[in-house]
Structure formats: structure tokens, C-alpha cells
Amino acid sequence: METKDDLTQVQQFINKYDEDLNKLIPYIPYFEAHGGSDVAKDYDGKQGHSSMVFPVYDGTLMSFVKLCQKTAFMDHNYSYAYTRRRIRNAAQEEAAIKNATMKDEDLLNGVLTKYVMEGMRKTGVWQDAVERKLFLNVIKKYKEIMDYCKRF
């Protein structure tokens, strides 16, 4: 039985995330098609010699990251979502995403933020997120929740 509070929470969820989610949904086929190692190449030196090895990321991945940074999904306190749920490893993280509901928006935001923001300063984080299908699974879970909310 739906209560007025349930309807209010659903509407708030839709208002907060619908527009931004619609911007991320087009990336689903990209993440379904890529496995991690194919989203970055080592710098080839064409723009000038470098003694450091660093990745050059796929343009679509970079567009996704830049877009994410401008959305309501970013939560700079993302570590609290992990701490509250005692998530300490990849398996727990993946299970939490799979089992997330509308009330776990902080977790979904936390996962997305963690991998977007940490990828800005640590090599390989974005590749790991693509390989483990984290970006894909978070977007799909948000879409599943949004579709449910719109039927509510």
C-alpha cells in the first residue's frame, strides 16, 4: 500500500535524477561493449617524448567521466556509503549494487563518485570500473529504479 510519504519520496527521486540519468543511459551500449583494456592505450609519444608511461583514455570514456562530474550523482562524501555498509572488497561492492533499491541512492552515488573521482588521480581506476562493469551496473540499476518509480 502506497502512502503519501512513499509518493513524495518517489517524486523527489524522479525530480533529482531523471534528467541526469537520461544523459547517462546512452552510454550503456558503450559499457556493454568494452572490457577495460580497450578503453585506454599507453601514450605513444606522438605529441612529444615522455619518460613516464601513462594511459591515454578513449574519448567516449572521457566524455562519460566529464558528464558524471556535472550530475546530481556526485557525492564527495562517498566513503560514508561504503563505511555504513561495511563494504571492503569488490564482491561486496558488486553485491550492494545488485541489491540496491531507491533508498540506496547514496550507495549508487558513492560507487559512481568513487570511481569517477579516484580515476582523476590514480591510473587504472577507470579501466577497472569498466572491466568490472561498475559504471554499467550503476547506470542500469538507476534506470531500473527510475522505471519502477515512474510506474508507481
Side-chain angles (χ1 to χ4, degrees):
M1 185 95 201
E2 297 128 15
T3 67
K4 186 176 179 187
D5 286 341
D6 291 337
L7 294 173
T8 301
Q9 286 179 331
V10 166
Q11 194 56 53
Q12 287 174 341
F13 184 88
I14 292 170
N15 292 344
K16 184 174 183 179
Y17 296 116
D18 192 41
E19 184 178 335
D20 287 338
L21 180 60
N22 286 326
K23 294 175 186 175
L24 298 184
I25 288 172
Y27 289 92
I28 290 174
Y30 171 80
F31 288 121
E32 287 175 335
H34 289 80
S37 61
D38 56 347
V39 297
K41 298 178 200 153
D42 287 340
Y43 174 67
D44 59 14
K46 287 183 181 174
Q47 303 297 322
H49 177 70
S50 175
S51 58
M52 292 178 36
V53 176
F54 57 90
V56 177
Y57 292 100
D58 178 89
T60 303
L61 177 60
M62 291 307 301
S63 295
F64 173 77
V65 167
K66 288 178 183 178
L67 178 60
C68 282
Q69 292 173 338
K70 299 174 188 173
T71 66
F73 300 113
M74 292 293 101
D75 177 6
H76 294 283
N77 293 319
Y78 66 85
S79 61
Y80 294 116
Y82 281 78
T83 304
R84 274 192 298 272
R85 290 171 178 82
R86 295 182 177 93
I87 298 173
R88 292 185 177 86
N89 61 47
Q92 291 172 333
E93 185 177 57
E94 291 162 14
I97 294 167
K98 182 180 178 184
N99 297 320
T101 66
M102 186 179 74
K103 294 180 181 183
D104 297 313
E105 69 182 88
D106 67 317
L107 167 75
L108 296 172
N109 291 347
V111 173
L112 193 59
T113 304
K114 175 184 176 182
Y115 286 91
V116 166
M117 299 308 287
E118 287 188 8
M120 299 294 290
R121 58 186 176 79
K122 287 171 62 178
T123 301
V125 173
W126 293 333
Q127 287 170 282
D128 182 47
V130 172
E131 186 174 313
R132 293 179 43 219
K133 304 289 186 191
L134 293 174
F135 291 145
L136 174 64
N137 291 337
V138 168
I139 296 168
K140 286 174 96 174
K141 181 54 79 167
Y142 260 116
K143 185 178 180 324
E144 175 187 313
I145 294 168
M146 186 65 70
D147 290 346
Y148 173 79
C149 287
K150 287 180 176 181
R151 289 189 312 257
F152 205 78

